[in-house]
């Protein structure tokens, strides 16, 4: 992770985190990826594939496209390779690379795909410019990001809101932006992309969907917030009692009469 | 309005407010109403029709159903009648009535429809019980409500958030709940309804949709927040300078590089 330039990481590569990222992809795959289908023969760059949590869905939905999935972390790439091999997927090759210094020719990809990466970057606009360079004219750029400020639940408490705010603030201190979802439209426009279309992908969870309560509310979102406990307390953003109440309150919202809301944003545009 | 029992009103019936409600219905009609279609001959109660802002869409989408639209305010009903007449709609009759004392026989409607009403009630569960009484077994109840806590924008400022929070707090002081959208699922379950399905109806606005910037962000949402300025200042919730900055900041988010988000919730269930 030290070799990642201009990037910051709230999500650690712990075993628990690994499980979270996989849960997220499995559960949200349809919501996030169903409308991304690349034609046969298309050469697609997946920038920042991490442990391959999205790669399997991406490659499966476009079985005749050829994917090059890159990440800075050799360890993540090893995990991603194993995951793709276990899924019997053949149309992905992996390569260790820095998104800000892409080892590819100008306009060498037909399409570029990015998921959950820009939120960690100190300069996401610079990353978009780097990605545009390797994208052919008329090719598409797809970016999917979350927005932690889009979260709310019922019943909601001040402590639960503050715990989520800690996650946002810690990501900001590390140079990232946990509210980047709502910024994708102006970022794409600033990068000179055309025909920019941003669509919200809202996750609404109540107890009629116990699978989503488990996979999204508990194992994705609350687990992610819980992951910054030590940092939040060390920074004095909350005290331990308030933090623990906030987390308990979030779990309360996963009970039979609770609800849970979060929104991802998906941006699509063409390189002019 | 004094005759409305157990209800509270943040939305006044000023001319400007009237325009806002109509703008809202025209703009959001497809998002909110497209999937509500009643069969020929169905007898449908629209409870709390107000000035008829939703009635036109509702009746037009089910031209062979028969609607009875009620409201407590004779003045609102007069406006609603005129609107429906001007739209050449023939399948709506109006009646002045209190949702908590409905002048209808038990199980006398095939379906019941409610939009933007429960948010104003001190006891929305009691209202649901009253509505269930006049709904036949196997008939459907549809409720659409907003949730002001679902709002966010880019760029967002503390003052803009506080201004929206004022609206939420003023509605709470009046006995209502501006966060009711996220509560529809538990409310329906508590009312004993079956097969409850809640779907979020998110409005995402960027400058690629200048019509929505104008009709939703400016003329619906910001206008609604601006409407409680005097109350917010009188209650000391914000000072005038901070309030005016908050409103200006919200307008800032309607510029070319701004975005604006809000979520309505639609609940549908069957009376067992």
């Amino acid at each position: 992770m030290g070799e990642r330039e201009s990037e910051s990481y709230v999500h650690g590569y712990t075993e628990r985190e690994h499980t979270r990222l996989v849960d997220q992809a499995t559960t949200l795959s349809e919501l996030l990826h169903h409308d991304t289908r690349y034609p046969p023969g298309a050469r697609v760059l997946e920038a920042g594939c991490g442990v391959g949590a999205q790669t399997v869905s991406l490659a499966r939905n476009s079985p005749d496209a050829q994917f090059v999935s890159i990440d800075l972390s050799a360890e993540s790439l090893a995990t991603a390779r194993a995951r793709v091999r276990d899924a019997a997927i053949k149309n992905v090759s992996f390569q260790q690379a820095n998104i800000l210094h892409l080892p590819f020719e100008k306009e060498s990809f037909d399409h570029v795909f990015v998921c959950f990466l820009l939120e960690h970057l100190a300069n996401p606009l610079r990353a978009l410019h780097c990605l545009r360079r390797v994208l052919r004219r008329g090719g598409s750029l797809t970016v999917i990001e979350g927005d932690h400020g889009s979260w709310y639940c019922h019943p909601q408490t001040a402590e639960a809101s503050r715990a989520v705010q800690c996650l946002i603030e810690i990501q900001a201190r590390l140079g990232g932006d946990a509210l980047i979802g709502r910024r994708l439209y102006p970022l794409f426009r600033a990068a000179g992309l055309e025909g920019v279309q941003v669509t919200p992908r809202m996750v609404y969870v109540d107890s009629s969907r116990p699978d989503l309560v488990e996979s999204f509310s508990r194992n994705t979102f609350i687990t992610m917030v819980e992951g910054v406990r030590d940092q939040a307390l060390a920074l004095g953003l909350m005290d331990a009692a308030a933090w623990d109440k906030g987390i308990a309150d979030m779990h309360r919202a996963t009970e039979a009469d609770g609800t849970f809301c979060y929104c991802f944003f998906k941006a699509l545009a063409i390189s002019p």
Side-chain angles (χ1 to χ4, degrees), chain A:
Chain A
M1 303 210 325
E3 51 187 335
R4 292 213 182 203
E5 191 181 327
S6 302
E7 298 189 13
S8 59
Y9 284 82
V10 170
H11 311 165
Y13 289 115
T14 61
E15 190 54 40
R16 189 180 191 188
E17 179 69 9
H18 181 157
T19 304
R20 184 185 73 78
L21 290 171
V22 175
D23 276 343
Q24 185 167 308
T26 307
T27 308
L28 300 173
S29 176
E30 180 64 14
L31 180 72
L32 301 181
H33 301 307
H34 74 91
D35 52 352
T36 297
R37 311 272 166 167
Y38 298 111
R43 183 170 149 83
V44 184
L45 174 66
E46 183 195 14
C49 65
V51 297
Q54 316 302 323
T55 311
V56 170
S57 300
L58 191 67
R60 218 173 238 154
N61 286 343
S62 300
D64 300 316
Q66 294 299 319
F67 292 87
V68 177
S69 294
I70 64 166
D71 202 86
L72 257 177
S73 161
E75 194 184 336
S76 294
L77 282 170
T79 307
R81 264 196 194 92
R83 183 190 313 290
V84 160
R85 189 181 55 232
D86 291 350
I89 286 169
K90 309 285 189 192
N91 57 332
V92 181
S93 66
F94 292 95
Q95 187 169 336
Q96 192 172 2
N98 184 334
I99 194 174
L100 299 177
H101 301 286
L102 291 168
F104 305 112
E105 295 294 314
K106 194 180 164 189
E107 301 186 21
S108 55
F109 287 95
D110 296 310
H111 305 283
V112 173
F113 178 89
V114 172
C115 189
F116 305 150
L117 174 67
L118 300 188
E119 61 170 324
H120 300 295
L121 304 182
N123 192 340
L125 181 57
R126 184 179 161 205
L128 291 183
H129 280 298
C130 292
L131 293 169
R132 254 199 80 179
R133 189 188 65 81
V134 302
L135 178 60
R136 72 163 167 82
R137 287 154 197 267
S140 73
L141 172 63
T142 298
V143 173
I144 301 172
E145 298 288 340
D147 189 311
H148 298 349
S150 73
W151 172 82
Y152 49 98
C153 70
H154 173 75
Q156 188 151 5
T157 67
E159 290 85 357
S161 297
R162 281 173 58 205
V164 174
Q165 194 57 43
C166 286
L167 180 63
I168 294 169
E169 188 160 336
I170 288 166
Q171 195 149 337
R173 285 176 187 224
L174 290 169
D177 182 1
L179 309 182
I180 200 163
R182 72 188 74 175
R183 283 176 59 203
L184 289 181
Y185 181 82
L187 277 171
F188 267 51
R189 292 292 301 270
L193 293 155
E194 287 188 355
V196 182
Q197 287 191 305
V198 175
T199 50
R201 309 285 164 119
M202 184 169 164
V203 184
Y204 162 78
V205 187
D206 61 37
S207 59
S208 70
R209 289 289 308 274
D211 56 325
L212 269 182
V213 171
E214 193 61 24
S215 66
F216 183 77
S217 306
R218 292 200 187 112
N219 293 343
T220 299
F221 194 77
I222 299 177
T223 299
M224 179 172 65
V225 178
E226 283 180 308
V228 299
R229 182 182 195 274
D230 293 348
Q231 290 161 278
L233 300 190
L235 289 165
L237 299 177
M238 286 179 83
D239 65 39
W243 175 271
D244 293 341
K245 179 177 184 304
I247 297 297
D249 291 345
M250 294 178 77
H251 279 287
R252 167 68 186 83
T254 67
E255 293 179 15
D257 61 348
T259 62
F260 215 89
C261 298
Y262 185 86
C263 194
F264 297 92
F265 290 83
K266 185 168 185 173
L268 172 67
I270 304 300
S271 184

